[in-house]
Amino acid sequence: MSGMNQTGIPPVLVTGATGRVGRVVVDQLLDAGVPVRALTHRSAAAATLPAKVEVFTGDLTVPESLDPAMNGAGAVFLVWTAPPQTAAAVVGRLAAHVRRVVFLSSPHQTPHPLFQQPNPMAVLHADIERLIAATGLESTIIRPGMFASNSLAWWAPAIRAGEVVRWPHGAAESAPVDDRDIAAVAARTLYQGGYVGGDYVLTGPESLTQAAQVDILGDAVGRRIAFEEMTPDEFRSLGESTMPSSVVDMLLAGWKAAVGQPAYITTAVADILGTAPRTFRQWAADHATAFSFGSPP
């Protein structure tokens, strides 16, 4: 019978399967005995996935390329990594093939200044949520706040090189959430009942300034890391090479608004997993090698 296997559980299709959340969702589902399909752009990506995963090559910008992967699947973990133009067509195809979708969104509706800055990503996420709601699909929306793993891109290069960390709005507070907790919540809501219609903002357990986060990384690597305030204009000129200006603007506006405001914190991770979310200190300890002298980028 198509889409079934010896367990009798229909497979879950994971989009963004080699990304920082999707890759862990794959492992979590396999650990729970759920058959997994992975959607990747390039068949070469299959090499980084466990052998038990059924790999499909497809592209969100070519909606019909997704049909083979969706056919016979029970649920889809949707991570939108493409321009917005094909969103309606992809969600329409999703609804034609599967009953259930878990969408990785953002906390754009959250009444906290960090998340209230206008940005194109929030507009895209809101549009996809509306499209999903209009189909009648069984859906769950998960909204991670700041990812703990952002610090790998933001601060690891300077820390590895033994340099000062220069960054804007060091006093801005956030509650970084561990990618593993985001993935565990996603997996749980994909294979367990009881989460249909759920909408969850996922955060870490504590509010920390950006400067405090750098201090914690210093503890993890066993040396003090100096933190120096950078002006927003300096950040803008540095950021231009690595991210779209809309993202730079969003980050600067969010951080500026978050100075002196405790971060928005929810209990969603603990409520769903039954275990406390990992602290940033735990994340830092587990990723210390990535910040250590001379480790590869």
Side-chain angles (χ1 to χ4, degrees):
M1 184 175 146
S2 143
M4 295 303 258
N5 46 55
Q6 63 282 13
T7 61
I9 304 168
V12 170
L13 173 63
V14 178
T15 67
T18 55
R20 52 184 175 173
V21 175
R23 183 63 189 78
V24 188
V25 170
V26 166
D27 290 338
Q28 296 270 348
L29 290 169
L30 291 175
D31 287 348
V34 178
V36 176
R37 292 178 177 181
L39 185 75
T40 63
H41 285 292
R42 296 169 311 279
S43 43
T48 67
L49 292 161
K52 283 166 89 172
V53 174
E54 199 183 353
V55 179
F56 289 80
T57 309
D59 194 315
L60 293 169
T61 63
V62 187
E64 58 276 18
S65 73
L66 309 179
D67 288 355
M70 288 181 187
N71 192 20
V76 173
F77 180 52
L78 182 61
V79 182
W80 195 266
T81 51
Q85 289 80 347
T86 53
V90 168
V91 171
R93 290 189 116 79
L94 252 176
H97 287 286
V98 304
R99 284 188 35 215
R100 179 137 186 62
V101 61
V102 174
F103 177 48
L104 184 69
S105 187
S106 53
H108 56 81
Q109 304 161 326
T110 301
H112 185 281
L114 181 63
F115 302 120
Q116 284 307 299
Q117 312 314 309
N119 73 87
M121 185 55 101
V123 173
L124 172 63
H125 283 158
D127 284 344
I128 293 174
E129 287 164 35
R130 276 194 292 274
L131 291 166
I132 289 170
T135 62
L137 273 159
E138 294 180 359
S139 67
T140 306
I141 311 292
I142 57 175
R143 308 177 182 280
M146 282 288 182
F147 287 67
S149 59
N150 285 341
S151 55
L152 291 168
W154 293 348
W155 305 322
I159 294 171
R160 274 197 299 267
E163 294 165 4
V164 169
V165 169
R166 304 189 65 249
W167 203 249
H169 301 300
E173 299 192 35
S174 61
V177 59
D178 194 303
D179 305 40
R180 293 168 295 185
D181 288 331
I182 301 167
V185 166
R188 185 73 58 97
T189 62
L190 278 160
Y191 72 81
Q192 272 195 357
Y195 301 105
V196 174
D199 188 314
Y200 306 103
V201 176
L202 309 182
T203 72
E206 57 191 333
S207 183
L208 295 164
T209 66
Q210 300 198 89
Q213 291 170 40
V214 171
D215 280 345
I216 288 169
L217 292 168
D219 291 344
V221 295
R223 58 195 164 82
R224 196 181 165 277
I225 297 160
F227 185 98
E228 220 170 76
E229 192 73 18
M230 174 193 278
T231 70
D233 285 340
E234 284 177 284
F235 182 74
R236 208 168 250 118
S237 58
L238 278 173
E240 274 165 0
S241 57
T242 55
M243 42 190 155
S245 60
S246 61
V247 173
V248 173
D249 292 343
M250 170 189 82
L251 289 170
L252 286 170
W255 288 327
K256 183 181 179 184
V259 170
Q261 285 261 9
Y264 185 81
I265 293 175
T266 72
T267 59
V269 170
D271 296 343
I272 293 170
L273 301 181
T275 51
R278 293 173 172 92
T279 62
F280 187 71
R281 191 167 288 281
Q282 189 177 346
W283 183 91
D286 291 343
H287 294 81
T289 52
F291 295 87
S292 302
F293 274 132
S295 76

